[in-house]
Amino acid sequence: MSVTDEAGAPTWVVIDAETTGLSPKEHRVVELAIVVLDERGNSMGEAATLVNPGMDVGPADGHGIRNEDVHDAPRFDELSGWLVEWLRGKVLVGHNLLFTSAFLDEEFRRTGFEMPHVPAICTMTNAPRYLPSLPGRTLEQCCAAAGIPLDGPRSALTNARAAGALFGTFLAQRPTLPSPWVQYIERARRMSWPRIPMRDFQMAPRAEEEWEAADPEQTAVVSPEMARMAAAYAGLSSGAAASDVDVKEAPNPEVDSEFVADVVEDAPRSPEESGPVSAYLGALDNAVSDRVLSFTEAIHLKDLAAALAIFEAEQSDAHRQYVRTLAATAWADKQVTDEERDDLVAVGRLLDLSETEVDVLIEETKPDAAGGSAPATSGSSSSSEYEAGWYPDPYGQGGLRWYDGESWTHHTHAS
C-alpha cells in the first residue's frame, strides 16, 4: 500500500501503536497504524498491521491482542523500511505522541538505525488550547469534547483515525496554520531519514472476532523473585527470602477497581503539566483505564519516566498530583467511602506513596464549608447537580476555581 497524492500534498502522518507494556526498553510495539493527511487534514491513505514483538504480548485486557494473533505478523525490523517511507517528509501527529515516539525510538535503535528528531504535534498536549472545557487527557475525552465519534473496534487504527479527526478540528479553527506548524512542515520535508532497505513482508490486520480476557484469578506470580518483590510491596518484611514466599499465594498488589477507572475517566488534567509529565500521566491513565494497575506496570513506569527525561523528584510530584486529582474527583458525590479510600491507597502504594500521604491528600481535597462541594468535571454524569460558583480547585492548586455550571474556567482566587 502506498500514499497517494490525489487530495493534495501529503503533509501530516498520524501514528498510533499498541505495546506489550509501559517500558520502552523492556517492552515492544505489538500493533502499528498510520493515517496520512493532506494540508487541510483530509485522509489520503492508511495502513495498519500487527507486529510480532518476539516476546509475550502482555495482558490482552489493555490492547485486545493475543499471542496467537501475532504468530505470523511481521517483526519490526522487517517493516522498518516500509514505515520510514510513510513517515518521510511529513510532520508526525498522534495522541500522547511522546509515549509512542519513545517506543519507536527504541524499536529503530534495535534495528541499528536512529530515528531523527521529527517535527511532531501531540493532540493530547495541544487539546486544551482548542478545547478549553476539556476535562482530561484520554483520546476518548478529547474526542467527546470535540464532538468526534470514536467508532470502530478497539485498535491502533481506530485510535489513529480518531486522532486524525481530532487534529483536523484543530486545523479548522484557524484560517491559516498556527505557528510553528508552518515551520514544522518545511522542516519535515527537509528532514534526512536513514535509508533502510525495503523488505518483503505480509501485513497482518487485527482479527475482527471477539476475544475474551484471561481470568485474572488464573494469573499467578511466575517467579520467586517476583513473589518476593510483590510481598515486599504489599507490606511484608523486605528481608524475607524468596524461598519463604509461596509463589501461588503471594499477595497481589495490583489495583482492580471499577471505582478507580471511573474516577480516572472523570478526573481533570492539571493546567500546569509539562509535555513529558502529561505524556507520562496519559500512559498512567491508560494503564488504569482497564481497571487494573499491576505491580509490574508500576515498576515499568520508572522506565517510562526515564525515557521521557522525567527526573525522580518530578515523577514523585506527578504521582502526588495524580492521586490528589483522583481524590478530589472522588469527592464529587460528597463522600469517599472506606472501600473507595482503600482503592486510592492501593493506587498510591503502587506509585510509591504511603498510606499516610494518600490520607493527607484525601483530607486536603475534602469539600469545605467555605467553598462548598466540588463538582465533578465537565462531561461527568453528576456535574449537573451543581450550580455555578467557587469550589476547591480540582487540579490540586491552592485556592478556589470558578465552575460556570458546565465546566471549569481559568478564573481562580485565593481561598
Side-chain angles (χ1 to χ4, degrees), residues 170-385:
F170 298 170
L171 292 174
Q173 289 188 37
R174 291 174 177 266
T176 58
L177 291 178
S179 179
W181 292 358
V182 171
Q183 289 82 0
Y184 283 6
I185 296 172
E186 293 306 314
R187 281 178 52 203
R189 290 173 177 167
R190 295 194 305 266
M191 182 73 62
S192 176
W193 278 84
R195 292 290 176 181
I196 302 178
M198 294 284 285
R199 299 172 61 178
D200 292 333
F201 68 91
Q202 184 66 41
M203 300 282 284
R206 181 189 285 246
E208 296 182 357
E209 67 268 17
E210 293 294 326
W211 61 275
E212 294 184 4
D215 183 354
E217 294 183 359
Q218 302 300 317
T219 303
V221 181
V222 295
S223 71
E225 175 62 16
M226 284 300 296
R228 184 192 66 75
M229 296 169 69
Y233 227 81
L236 301 181
S237 170
S238 58
S243 59
D244 296 333
V245 181
D246 187 330
V247 174
K248 292 183 179 180
E249 296 182 4
N252 186 351
E254 73 179 11
V255 178
D256 186 353
S257 168
E258 185 172 354
F259 157 74
V260 172
D262 289 343
V263 169
V264 168
E265 184 177 344
D266 290 336
R269 67 198 292 168
S270 170
E272 308 301 322
E273 290 174 6
S274 66
V277 168
S278 186
Y280 176 82
L281 295 181
L284 183 54
D285 282 341
N286 288 336
V288 178
S289 65
D290 59 6
R291 297 203 301 252
V292 177
L293 175 62
S294 70
F295 168 70
T296 51
E297 284 180 318
I299 292 176
H300 290 137
L301 283 171
K302 294 184 181 297
D303 290 340
L304 177 60
L308 296 174
I310 297 174
F311 295 108
E312 186 174 350
E314 189 176 13
Q315 184 189 27
S316 297
D317 288 343
H319 287 172
R320 281 189 288 271
Q321 177 63 37
Y322 191 78
V323 175
R324 181 187 181 94
T325 303
L326 295 185
T329 307
W331 281 112
D333 61 356
K334 306 178 184 178
Q335 65 173 344
V336 172
T337 66
D338 290 343
E339 292 79 7
E340 292 169 347
R341 178 259 179 194
D342 290 344
D343 283 339
L344 291 172
V345 167
V347 172
R349 184 181 297 116
L350 289 170
L351 300 180
D352 292 329
L353 298 179
S354 69
E355 183 173 347
T356 299
E357 288 179 290
V358 175
D359 280 335
V360 169
L361 294 173
I362 293 173
E363 187 62 29
E364 286 179 353
T365 54
K366 182 178 181 179
D368 56 34
S373 299
T377 59
S378 173
S380 88
S381 58
S382 57
S383 61
S384 60
E385 301 175 11

Side-chain angles (χ1 to χ4, degrees), residues 120-169:
I121 299 169
C122 178
T123 54
M124 182 181 74
T125 55
N126 276 277
R129 178 181 178 186
Y130 297 94
L131 304 169
S133 63
L134 176 68
R137 309 174 195 86
T138 68
L139 181 59
E140 290 80 4
Q141 289 170 314
C142 292
C143 286
I148 296 171
L150 195 57
D151 295 329
R154 172 176 51 184
S155 71
L157 183 56
T158 295
N159 291 342
R161 288 169 176 166
L166 182 63
F167 179 62
T169 67

